[in-house]
Amino acid sequence: MLAENLANLVKKERLEGRLEANQATARNLIKLGVLTDEQIAEATGLTTAEVQAFRAEDKH
């Protein structure tokens, strides 16, 4: 039981780390201003809506 809980925790941490890395990549690609939201979403695995939200944050 403890080993299973630890394995699940490690898996969750890895997924969160990947998500944070993909979000950072999306923000950097937005700053470059070369790709569309759809291209950034495809490259990072995020949704177009998430990329659009980052772009909106960047404008504020």
Side-chain angles (χ1 to χ4, degrees):
M1 181 78 161
L2 178 60
E4 185 179 323
N5 287 341
L6 287 173
N8 287 336
L9 179 62
V10 168
K11 183 178 179 181
K12 180 181 175 186
E13 290 295 321
R14 284 184 186 156
L15 290 174
E16 287 176 6
R18 285 187 198 142
L19 176 61
E20 289 174 6
N22 288 344
Q23 290 172 339
T25 299
R27 286 184 172 102
N28 289 333
L29 290 171
I30 289 168
K31 288 179 185 175
L32 290 174
V34 178
L35 301 175
T36 65
D37 291 348
E38 291 79 14
Q39 290 169 321
I40 294 171
E42 186 175 334
T44 60
L46 300 173
T47 66
T48 303
E50 289 171 314
V51 174
Q52 289 170 345
F54 294 145
R55 190 178 295 278
E57 287 174 8
D58 196 44
K59 290 182 180 179
H60 291 243

